[in-house]
Amino acid sequence: MTSTKIKRFLGDGEYEFNLSSAQIVRLEKLLNIGIGELSQRVVSGRFHHVELIETVRHGLIGAGTSHEQAANLIAVYLDGASLRSVHTLAVEILAAAWDGTPEPDEDTTNTNTQE
């Protein structure tokens, strides 16, 4: 089973990010660009700054962060941050939405082995 949720450090702690289908639709409408083209632009480095910021913001909201808290996190930790750090986070969020992320399997979480 796969998920599209990831957990990454942002500013003061770990936060979950998830570009759910609903957030993808909202992101596409806001940016007036399809998710495939947005992904290509971000990965290739031909992005607009707002595309990075909105990808992160929508990822936070999709994982359950309130709109207000997401906007606050962006204002406090991403405004003025290096483009590389914002870009890396946006790429990871988009990659999780595109490829999914493996969820731990209950059968494989036990590290005890029989000899």
Side-chain angles (χ1 to χ4, degrees), residues 11 17 20-21 26 32-33 40-41 61 66 68 72-73 81 95 114:
F17 300 86
S20 63
S21 296
R26 291 181 182 107
N32 197 29
I33 187 173
Q40 287 181 342
R41 288 169 60 120
I61 294 167
S66 72
E68 295 79 16
N72 186 51
L73 289 167
Q114 293 179 334

Side-chain angles (χ1 to χ4, degrees), residues 13-113:
E14 295 239 330
Y15 290 89
E16 289 186 339
F17 300 86
N18 185 24
L19 278 183
S20 63
S21 296
Q23 290 307 315
I24 289 172
V25 169
R26 291 181 182 107
L27 186 59
E28 289 176 329
K29 186 174 183 177
L30 175 71
L31 298 174
N32 197 29
I33 187 173
I35 191 68
E37 187 173 346
L38 173 63
S39 296
Q40 287 181 342
R41 288 169 60 120
V42 170
V43 170
S44 72
R46 295 176 177 250
F47 56 84
H48 294 196
H49 185 256
V50 69
E51 293 169 341
L52 300 180
I53 296 299
E54 289 301 328
T55 297
V56 173
R57 187 173 75 82
H58 280 75
L60 284 163
I61 294 167
T65 302
S66 72
H67 289 265
E68 295 79 16
Q69 185 182 12
N72 186 51
L73 289 167
I74 297 297
V76 171
Y77 298 117
L78 294 187
D79 286 353
S82 71
L83 283 178
R84 180 179 306 277
S85 63
V86 181
H87 179 255
T88 298
L89 181 55
V91 167
E92 290 176 347
I93 294 166
L94 288 165
W98 191 267
D99 295 323
T101 57
E103 291 184 359
D105 184 27
E106 292 179 9
D107 293 336
T108 62
T109 57
N110 186 352
T111 56
N112 294 334
T113 58

